[in-house]
Amino acid sequence: MDPFSVFDTPGNDGYIAYAGMLSTLAITAFSHKVLVNRKVGLLAENSARAHLGLGIALAATGSPMLTRLSTELKLSKTAVGQVAIRAGIFSDMVATSLMCLGNLIFHNDSMLTYSEQRYHPFYVALIVVEIIILMTASKWVLRKINDCNPEGKPMKGIYMIGLMTAVLSICILDKWLHMDINLASFMIGLALPREGRVSRLLINNINFFLNSVILPVYLVNICLSNTKTEFRLSTQVDTLINVPLSWPKLFISIAIGTIGKIFGTVVSARFYGMKWLDGIALGQLLSTKGYFHIFCAYEAWDHLMINDSTFAALLYMIFLTLAITPLVGYGIAAWARRKAMSRLMGLQFHTSETELRIMVGLHGPQNLPIMLTMVEALLWNKEPGKLSLYTIDMIELTEHAAATLIKGDGLEGIEVMDEEVLEMRNHIGDALHVFQQRSNDEINVRRLLAISSFDDMDKDICMCAEDVKAVLIILPFHKSQRIDGSMNTGHAGFKLVNEKVLQHAPCSVGIMVDRGLGHTNQGSQSLVGKNVVVVFIGGGDDREALTLAAQMCQHPVVKLTVVRFLADVEAQVRETQQSRKFSNLTQTFISKDDVQMQLDNEFFADFYNQHIANREVGYVEKHVMNGAELAMELRELESQFELFVVGKGRDRKSILTDGLEEWAECPELGPIGDIVASSDFSTTASALIIQQYDAKKHYKVIDEEFMPFR
């Protein structure tokens, strides 16, 4: 748990959690007469502690169960799922804190001696002091332990012994202070920070045994407990598992817990702009119960606040919510998939109201400077949380690496314990942490791992991009720069990965050719005094490159220039003669070119009016006759700019690039991309080659005649 988050100004998820809890507590208060009814009432004790305890228990969310179900159903990738997880954690922590506080205030005097009752305020004060110490001092101590035990090395035994001694000491102290010993686990949760190796170590070693053995045994022990109230003298109903179900009590508990949660959640969700259906689904997800609710019900029954039939009804209510949640989850996942299929995943089709998600592939820490420079340039003028960066470490699965794989955090997580890989990932993690701090946490940074053979690595990358709904994937070029400025022969495995990702990616793809941009200074400071150029000839890929430029030009230090290449008079005459010569054979292709030209002109006109007319972006127009002249013009620009952004030109049919494909060293980059990525082009100008998401794959057609252009 992170207890200090309670004192922070809550976000939308916090207000949604509060609204759901308050509405449930309000309905519980309004249902006072029904709850204390002798026949159908849930409470056997008409007291403040009974009403508050029942209201808090029904208002709480079973956060561990909700998170687990959301992960298995892949709801964590949807907007509703993300809000549900965050609001569930917030609701769970607040409810747990209130339950612990209520356990201190509404103690049972009959179980205490006279002297213990006399000193009870002193015990409460000591527990408050203990909570403050656990929230502050323990965090500093555990951070020191984490620093002394870095990842990849076995944790020293003295620290493990000290940690277990501290845990036992907290439990013994809480018992001595007459606090419920079962609530001591929540005190230990306050002592352990959410991040760090110690917490992960305890979770990984205890969680499986806890979920597989301890909690099931605890549940069986509860169900086999002897009845206390209505059926105490019955010979046929001697244990709780044999108590007959009271349908009215089951209906009342479900009505208060579910309707109250859904009502408050829907009202607050609508206030923050969510749709009715999303709000109802979110409320149903937040109605999920778990082991904490079983514990609360058992404690209430053990202290005679509820009777046997009410306890059985509450157990059935908990199990029903767990059965309904997967059905709601499947509905949300299906709705999210249909919604994702209805829009194209590319920069040109992205709207400013939605979150921009970019996935960046990394061969190692050497790829980070230029990648983070690009991302920081795109961050400008965006609201906090509107840009998410997903970094994916691309690691070859060798026999040695496979031997070091272990189960990591999460349900399907794995970790590589190879020292070389660990060192590389630690360097990347430190750099990303510094980058996120420098951006004042305005950008969400998430880390992914693709560890597989080069033949299958593209599948992992594309699957991750589809899961996180990335709009753009940026991968490093398979060649790197030598000391003398030339490019080496490159890595054949990464070349294969890039080719396959370009072919199968579910979104737009960029290939980054790094020639030193971002290595001197940090972040956007490396763009100060640097010039960026976008080469525009025509086609969807060039439009995607121009869209990326429109995002970058909003940054004040970016000096952007657009160079548009057009055919001169002689080239136009030659193209007209060729089109007439093959008019009967290529009529279909000519019509496609006309459509693309119309899209280019409309898109460029909009870009011109928004960015070039007000002198925000520089503009140069060049007329060339053929591909040779185009290559010469590009080489004249290489000394004037530090970053080239070009389109691959996959769907472009232009006389200006005829013949360039025949001499291409890297045909997967397109004719212009091959020129700017070649070793003899420049020693200082980096390049980003963009390929727009193939709309024909999205609409599942084989010809553009059947595809709706937008």
Side-chain angles (χ1 to χ4, degrees):
M1 293 187 291
D2 184 8
F4 292 100
S5 63
V6 178
F7 304 105
D8 297 336
T9 302
N12 295 354
D13 47 358
Y15 286 119
I16 290 174
Y18 278 139
M21 295 182 69
L22 290 175
S23 62
T24 306
L25 289 172
I27 292 180
T28 304
F30 290 141
S31 307
H32 166 73
K33 291 185 178 181
V34 177
L35 293 176
V36 297
N37 186 279
R38 290 187 177 182
K39 294 183 178 180
V40 298
L42 299 179
L43 298 177
E45 176 184 303
N46 188 6
S47 63
R49 69 166 185 170
H51 283 85
L52 288 175
L54 178 64
I56 293 173
L58 294 177
T61 300
S63 177
M65 299 301 297
L66 177 59
T67 303
R68 185 180 184 90
L69 289 172
S70 299
T71 304
E72 291 180 348
L73 299 175
K74 294 187 177 180
L75 296 182
S76 56
K77 307 302 181 184
T78 65
V80 175
Q82 291 175 357
V83 175
I85 291 175
R86 293 194 297 266
I89 293 174
F90 205 92
S91 173
D92 197 6
M93 186 173 67
V94 172
T96 302
S97 303
L98 291 176
M99 198 65 74
C100 293
L101 185 62
N103 183 264
L104 296 177
I105 298 174
F106 299 105
H107 61 281
N108 193 347
D109 293 339
S110 63
M111 300 180 64
L112 301 177
T113 63
Y114 175 76
S115 60
E116 290 174 344
Q117 295 180 25
R118 183 180 178 184
Y119 290 106
H120 184 76
F122 174 72
Y123 295 149
V124 174
L126 286 180
I127 290 177
V128 173
V129 172
E130 178 191 4
I131 291 174
I132 296 174
I133 294 175
L134 292 178
M135 290 172 60
T136 55
S138 62
K139 191 174 183 179
W140 179 83
V141 173
L142 289 173
R143 187 183 296 116
K144 293 295 183 182
I145 296 177
N146 289 328
D147 294 339
C148 295
N149 296 271
E151 297 283 355
K153 295 183 179 179
M155 180 166 282
K156 299 176 183 178
I158 185 65
Y159 292 107
M160 293 298 298
I161 295 174
L163 184 64
M164 298 308 299
T165 303
V167 170
L168 292 175
S169 301
I170 292 174
C171 294
I172 294 173
L173 177 62
D174 291 337
K175 182 64 176 178
W176 180 74
L177 295 176
H178 300 284
M179 184 179 181
D180 193 324
I181 192 63
N182 294 295
L183 295 177
S185 59
F186 302 112
M187 303 293 288
I188 297 170
L190 286 175
L192 293 174
R194 190 170 53 185
E195 306 292 340
R197 190 184 179 193
V198 173
S199 299
R200 290 200 304 271
L201 183 68
L202 286 177
I203 290 172
N204 290 338
N205 286 278
I206 295 176
N207 215 26
F208 177 78
F209 183 71
L210 181 70
N211 290 321
S212 302
V213 180
I214 299 298
L215 291 177
V217 169
Y218 174 72
L219 182 59
V220 171
N221 177 64
I222 288 176
C223 294
L224 295 180
S225 299
N226 293 325
T227 54
K228 282 188 175 184
T229 55
E230 305 143 291
F231 303 96
R232 180 168 57 89
L233 302 177
S234 174
T235 57
Q236 296 180 349
V237 185
D238 56 344
T239 58
L240 289 176
I241 197 173
N242 295 323
V243 173
L245 175 62
S246 174
W247 289 99
K249 292 184 177 182
L250 176 62
F251 175 77
I252 292 173
S253 61
I254 293 177
I256 295 176
T258 304
I259 296 177
K261 182 71 76 171
I262 291 178
F263 176 77
T265 302
V266 169
V267 172
S268 58
R270 287 293 297 169
F271 179 79
Y272 290 110
M274 294 182 67
K275 297 180 180 179
W276 286 102
L277 187 61
D278 292 341
I280 295 174
L282 179 59
Q284 182 60 56
L285 289 176
L286 293 179
S287 301
T288 304
K289 310 302 180 187
Y291 278 108
F292 173 73
H293 300 81
I294 298 177
F295 163 74
C296 292
Y298 179 76
E299 288 295 303
W301 172 81
D302 192 43
H303 288 80
L304 303 179
M305 287 186 285
I306 61 175
N307 52 35
D308 300 333
S309 59
T310 300
F311 179 75
L314 291 177
L315 279 185
Y316 278 103
M317 183 268 294
I318 294 170
F319 295 144
L320 279 176
T321 59
L322 292 176
I324 294 173
T325 301
L327 300 178
V328 177
Y330 279 123
I332 296 174
W335 173 260
R337 281 193 293 269
R338 288 196 300 268
K339 187 176 180 181
M341 290 179 64
S342 65
R343 63 187 180 96
L344 300 174
M345 301 304 290
L347 290 171
Q348 185 181 345
F349 317 108
H350 179 263
T351 58
S352 58
E353 292 80 13
T354 57
E355 182 184 20
L356 178 62
R357 300 182 179 183
I358 298 177
M359 177 182 288
V360 171
L362 300 174
H363 301 166
Q366 70 276 7
N367 303 133
L368 274 173
I370 190 170
M371 295 292 191
L372 297 183
T373 298
M374 285 293 303
V375 173
E376 193 164 348
L378 296 173
L379 179 61
W380 192 261
N381 275 348
K382 283 187 172 56
E383 298 178 5
K386 284 294 186 180
L387 177 61
S388 291
L389 172 64
Y390 294 86
T391 64
I392 181 166
D393 301 333
M394 303 165 61
I395 301 173
E396 182 186 9
L397 183 62
T398 60
E399 293 184 0
H400 179 68
T404 61
L405 292 178
I406 63 170
K407 188 180 185 303
D409 298 337
L411 297 176
E412 302 175 351
I414 59 170
E415 291 184 4
V416 189
M417 302 309 296
D418 180 77
E419 292 187 3
E420 184 178 353
V421 175
L422 276 175
E423 184 179 2
M424 180 197 76
R425 300 203 73 204
N426 287 336
H427 284 318
I428 294 175
D430 294 340
L432 291 174
H433 180 67
V434 173
F435 170 73
Q436 190 168 17
Q437 285 185 329
R438 193 171 64 242
S439 64
N440 297 323
D441 292 329
E442 292 183 358
I443 181 171
N444 303 316
V445 180
R446 300 289 185 269
R447 297 194 64 186
L448 303 170
L449 176 64
I451 175 166
S452 57
S453 64
F454 288 122
D455 290 332
D456 298 325
M457 190 176 293
D458 65 293
K459 299 177 183 177
D460 292 342
I461 296 174
C462 293
M463 188 180 302
C464 289
E466 188 172 3
D467 285 343
V468 304
K469 296 181 177 60
V471 174
L472 175 66
I473 302 173
I474 304 179
L475 299 178
F477 191 41
H478 68 278
K479 296 182 180 181
S480 56
Q481 194 175 30
R482 297 191 182 99
I483 299 178
D484 61 356
S486 62
M487 306 296 289
N488 59 19
T489 56
H491 196 294
F494 287 123
K495 176 181 172 65
L496 176 64
V497 173
N498 289 353
E499 291 175 349
K500 288 187 172 183
V501 172
L502 286 167
Q503 184 179 0
H504 302 292
C507 60
S508 297
V509 182
I511 304 296
M512 179 66 74
V513 181
D514 186 7
R515 293 192 177 100
L517 181 64
H519 290 261
T520 304
N521 297 313
Q522 295 275 336
S524 60
Q525 293 299 317
S526 60
L527 292 172
V528 176
K530 306 294 184 180
N531 297 310
V532 181
V533 62
V534 179
V535 177
F536 187 87
I537 299 175
D541 295 342
D542 282 14
R543 293 195 297 271
E544 191 78 355
L546 205 58
T547 305
L548 179 66
Q551 301 267 0
M552 294 178 60
C553 71
Q554 299 178 21
H555 203 291
V557 303
V558 175
K559 297 180 179 180
L560 185 67
T561 302
V562 176
V563 178
R564 186 175 189 182
F565 286 96
L566 299 171
D568 61 9
V569 178
E570 185 177 346
Q572 292 178 7
V573 172
R574 191 169 66 253
E575 188 174 14
T576 303
Q577 292 175 350
Q578 290 181 0
S579 63
R580 289 176 179 174
K581 183 178 179 180
F582 301 102
S583 60
N584 295 329
L585 298 176
T586 62
Q587 186 175 0
T588 303
F589 293 97
I590 294 172
S591 63
K592 292 179 183 178
D593 293 340
D594 292 339
V595 172
Q596 287 292 338
M597 186 178 299
Q598 181 182 357
L599 292 173
D600 291 339
N601 293 333
E602 292 176 356
F603 183 81
F604 196 85
D606 292 339
F607 182 86
Y608 189 96
N609 294 330
Q610 293 180 15
H611 303 288
I612 299 177
N614 58 7
R615 298 185 179 181
E616 182 181 316
V617 175
Y619 176 60
V620 178
E621 197 172 280
K622 291 182 177 292
H623 293 78
V624 294
M625 184 175 61
N626 50 33
E629 284 193 11
L630 176 61
M632 291 177 58
E633 292 289 346
L634 287 173
R635 295 186 185 281
E636 290 180 2
L637 297 173
E638 67 179 52
S639 60
Q640 304 176 29
F641 300 96
E642 284 74 29
L643 176 62
F644 281 74
V645 181
V646 303
K648 176 182 175 181
R650 172 190 45 187
D651 56 352
R652 178 177 58 217
K653 183 174 176 59
S654 174
I655 196 169
L656 302 183
T657 57
D658 282 349
L660 294 179
E661 296 90 344
E662 300 176 3
W663 304 95
E665 184 181 354
C666 301
E668 73 274 9
L669 301 181
I672 307 301
D674 180 73
I675 293 175
V676 298
S678 61
S679 298
D680 58 347
F681 179 72
S682 173
T683 59
T684 58
S686 301
L688 178 62
I689 297 92
I690 299 290
Q691 173 186 283
Q692 189 180 53
Y693 175 54
D694 189 0
K696 293 190 294 295
K697 289 193 300 183
H698 176 83
Y699 290 108
K700 297 181 180 180
V701 297
I702 60 175
D703 197 283
E704 294 179 0
E705 291 183 1
F706 305 99
M707 186 179 66
F709 282 102
R710 297 184 178 180

